[in-house]
């Protein structure tokens, strides 16, 4: 654990395969010397790529990041189905996919794009009567999850590899938060009548944040982090306020007549020194703080 006081901010981490997102948080706590670290969405142990961590007071900003759209690079194997819909599960069925042509694959992908009703994997972290679905499934219980609406704005196959009876599709997928890429692999294989599962997954983007800007897990302490103001203004409109206005917002006062300065809400209020005052919203013609940042966590 470091002796220096942890600096509040948003840290981008490139998660390696084989560990959980909670393992990454535990490593970050040790590297950065604080237990106050949260994340904006997990990745399965098999998956790699971008995790967004909030440190100290900046954890309050994660609520504005967790729901952002995401981009994934995925490998989908057609011809083999598993119970978990990914490569960590047990094979449940095999079918010869060698005769599938690209036209048939593209035709099956089309209904899986746009706004769709998706049934998550039975081995997901969704809670059913207070217990995780994967815990129930591993205990041998029958798990039936309700379909939920998600949006897949891009499902592009960028390469395919044929090896005997299986076809591996390398795809780039843009989707809304809450989309299960494993479920897309499963549903694509089912639509083609050969079964399918996910063999590799890498998250490359969450909203405006890219994995190319992320630190390796072994380099967290020296990796670059975003200040609360940088992170907030990356995902929300910016409202520049004077020192007097910043003081009023921090004291719970409204900025009279300032609503006309906001195109969209909520917005990030930033003082003349570049510190994040808080997240503000309209109250009639006025602006009021909906979430103040502690001053020590604002820069």
């Amino acid at each position: 654990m470091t002796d220096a006081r942890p600096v509040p901010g948003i840290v981008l981490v490139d998660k390696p395969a084989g560990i959980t997102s909670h393992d990454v948080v535990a490593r970050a706590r040790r590297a950065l010397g604080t237990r106050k670290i949260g994340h904006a969405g997990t990745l399965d142990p098999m998956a790699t790529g971008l995790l967004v961590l909030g440190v100290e007071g900046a954890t309050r900003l994660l609520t504005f990041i967790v729901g952002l759209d995401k981009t994934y690079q995925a490998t989908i194997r057609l011809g083999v189905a598993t119970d978990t819909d990914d490569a960590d599960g047990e094979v449940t069925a095999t079918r010869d996919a060698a005769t599938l042509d690209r036209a048939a694959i593209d035709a099956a992908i089309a209904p899986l794009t746009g706004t769709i009703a998706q049934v998550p994997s039975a081995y997901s972290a969704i809670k059913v009567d207070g217990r995780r679905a994967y815990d129930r499934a591993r205990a041998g219980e029958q798990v039936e999850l309700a379909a939920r609406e998600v949006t897949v704005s891009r499902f592009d196959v960028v390469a395919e590899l044929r090896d005997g009876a299986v076809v591996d599709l390398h795809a780039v997928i843009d989707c809304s938060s809450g989309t299960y890429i494993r479920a897309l692999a499963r549903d694509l294989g089912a639509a083609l009548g050969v079964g399918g599962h996910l063999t590799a997954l890498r998250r490359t983007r969450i909203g405006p944040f890219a994995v190319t800007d992320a630190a390796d897990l072994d380099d967290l302490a020296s990796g670059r982090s975003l200040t609360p103001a940088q992170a907030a203004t990356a995902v929300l409109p910016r409202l520049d306020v004077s020192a007097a206005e910043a003081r009023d917002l921090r004291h719970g006062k409204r900025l009279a007549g300032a609503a006309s300065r906001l195109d969209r809400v909520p917005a990030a209020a930033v003082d003349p020194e570049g510190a994040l005052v808080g997240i503000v919203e309209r109250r009639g013609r006025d602006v009021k703080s909906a979430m103040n940042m502690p001053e020590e966590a604002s820069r």
Side-chain angles (χ1 to χ4, degrees):
M1 184 174 291
T2 61
D3 294 329
R5 184 173 181 177
V7 177
I10 295 295
V11 177
L12 309 181
V13 182
D14 188 350
K15 174 192 162 311
I19 63 173
T20 69
S21 298
H22 297 296
D23 292 334
V24 173
V25 170
R27 290 274 295 272
R29 285 171 174 163
R30 292 193 295 270
L32 301 177
T34 177
R35 290 200 56 80
K36 194 170 183 181
I37 293 181
H39 60 75
T42 61
L43 286 170
D44 291 335
M46 182 190 81
T48 69
L50 183 60
L51 284 177
V52 176
L53 305 184
V55 181
E56 293 286 309
T59 56
R60 305 176 75 183
L61 298 175
L62 296 176
T63 187
F64 302 101
I65 298 173
V66 67
L68 297 176
D69 289 355
K70 300 168 175 64
T71 298
Y72 294 92
Q73 296 173 349
T75 302
I76 298 169
R77 175 158 294 177
L78 300 175
V80 181
T82 72
D83 56 1
T84 60
D85 304 325
D86 65 15
D88 286 338
E90 298 293 328
V91 174
T92 58
T94 60
R95 292 283 300 274
D96 190 346
T99 59
L100 290 176
D101 60 24
R102 185 58 179 271
I105 293 170
D106 290 343
I109 286 174
L112 297 176
T113 58
T115 299
I116 61 174
Q118 183 185 73
V119 177
S121 169
Y123 284 79
S124 69
I126 294 172
K127 286 190 174 181
V128 180
D129 296 330
R131 290 176 60 200
R132 300 290 185 186
Y134 56 67
D135 286 332
R136 290 182 174 274
R138 288 167 184 159
E141 298 181 30
Q142 186 70 26
V143 178
E144 294 184 5
L145 298 176
R148 52 181 58 190
E149 186 176 282
V150 298
T151 300
V152 179
S153 53
R154 175 170 60 154
F155 191 156
D156 290 344
V157 175
V158 295
E160 64 178 77
L161 177 64
R162 295 175 179 267
D163 184 9
V166 301
V167 179
D168 285 342
L169 304 178
H170 302 289
V172 177
I173 297 167
D174 292 337
C175 58
S176 62
S177 180
T179 304
Y180 281 84
I181 310 302
R182 282 184 291 158
L184 289 178
R186 175 201 66 204
D187 292 345
L188 178 60
L192 291 166
V194 297
H197 71 283
L198 193 68
T199 63
L201 185 68
R202 180 166 177 78
R203 186 159 65 196
T204 60
R205 181 186 65 86
I206 300 176
F209 307 116
V211 73
T212 51
D213 295 322
D216 292 334
L217 190 55
D218 294 330
D219 196 31
L220 287 179
S222 58
R224 184 177 69 87
S225 66
L226 301 171
T227 67
Q230 288 172 331
T233 55
V235 299
L236 296 171
R238 175 176 177 138
L239 175 67
D240 288 299
V241 297
S242 67
E245 289 174 325
R247 184 171 56 252
D248 285 346
L249 287 171
R250 289 189 172 110
H251 291 165
K253 296 181 180 180
R254 299 186 179 196
L255 303 185
S260 61
R261 292 159 56 186
L262 293 176
D263 293 328
R264 292 182 291 118
V265 290
V270 180
D271 73 12
E273 295 183 3
L276 179 65
V277 179
I279 308 303
V280 297
E281 58 189 10
R282 293 191 188 96
R283 282 291 187 271
R285 297 179 61 251
D286 303 338
V287 167
K288 185 179 186 301
S289 180
M291 186 190 78
N292 276 338
M293 292 293 293
E295 289 200 47
E296 68 273 12
S298 61
R299 289 175 171 77

